[in-house]
Amino acid sequence: MIFSCAVIERQEQELTSREIDQKAAIMIVIDHFGNVPPGTKCSAVFIDTPKLRREQEFYAKLYSENGVHDPEILREMVAANVPDNPYWLVSLKYVDGALGDVSRLHRVDARTGKVLAEPA
């Protein structure tokens, strides 16, 4: 589902609990960064435990294939790039006439509602 950051118009009673969480995640990012220009397209995807596990496996395989074989270092590198808990992955797609569309991805912790630090 894509929201226009400038205009998020829907009746609260029409939204499911997942959509309310999605809307909240988008609004948290907008509030956190401020000055989001009108016309910016926003979307959010919930990364649940199974998706989180696949993301961790992906990074572990990637680092292993690139020469990291020490299990402790591998765990630390994966942990630096993948949060421990489910999160919302929020995309802000800015329309820039000279550069075309510019997308920025941000993570919002599903439990705390806090914007997570960028991966290392």
Side-chain angles (χ1 to χ4, degrees):
M1 177 176 283
I2 296 177
F3 293 99
S4 170
C5 293
V7 181
I8 298 177
E9 294 181 19
R10 279 183 141 207
Q11 297 295 324
E12 290 286 325
Q13 65 268 21
E14 292 178 16
L15 301 175
T16 65
S17 61
R18 165 90 21 115
E19 288 174 320
I20 291 169
D21 291 339
Q22 181 184 45
K23 179 180 175 183
I26 291 169
M27 294 309 297
I28 288 166
V29 170
I30 291 170
D31 289 343
H32 181 79
F33 291 101
N35 294 331
V36 174
T40 299
K41 291 183 176 25
C42 306
S43 62
V45 175
F46 185 65
I47 307 300
D48 58 9
T49 303
K51 289 179 187 173
L52 195 62
R53 190 172 301 114
R54 286 193 302 272
E55 187 176 2
Q56 290 166 335
E57 290 168 358
F58 167 79
Y59 278 102
K61 182 178 178 183
L62 176 70
Y63 296 139
S64 292
E65 290 175 352
N66 286 298
V68 179
H69 300 293
D70 182 293
E72 186 59 32
I73 293 174
L74 192 57
R75 272 192 293 279
E76 289 175 12
M77 290 178 73
V78 170
N81 285 287
V82 182
D84 293 330
N85 298 307
Y87 64 91
W88 285 94
L89 183 62
V90 178
S91 170
L92 299 181
K93 190 176 211 178
Y94 303 96
V95 178
D96 184 358
L99 300 173
D101 292 344
V102 178
S103 295
R104 293 282 318 224
L105 298 175
H106 307 282
R107 295 174 176 173
V108 176
D109 187 296
R111 295 179 312 151
T112 65
K114 301 286 184 194
V115 175
L116 300 171
E118 296 291 321

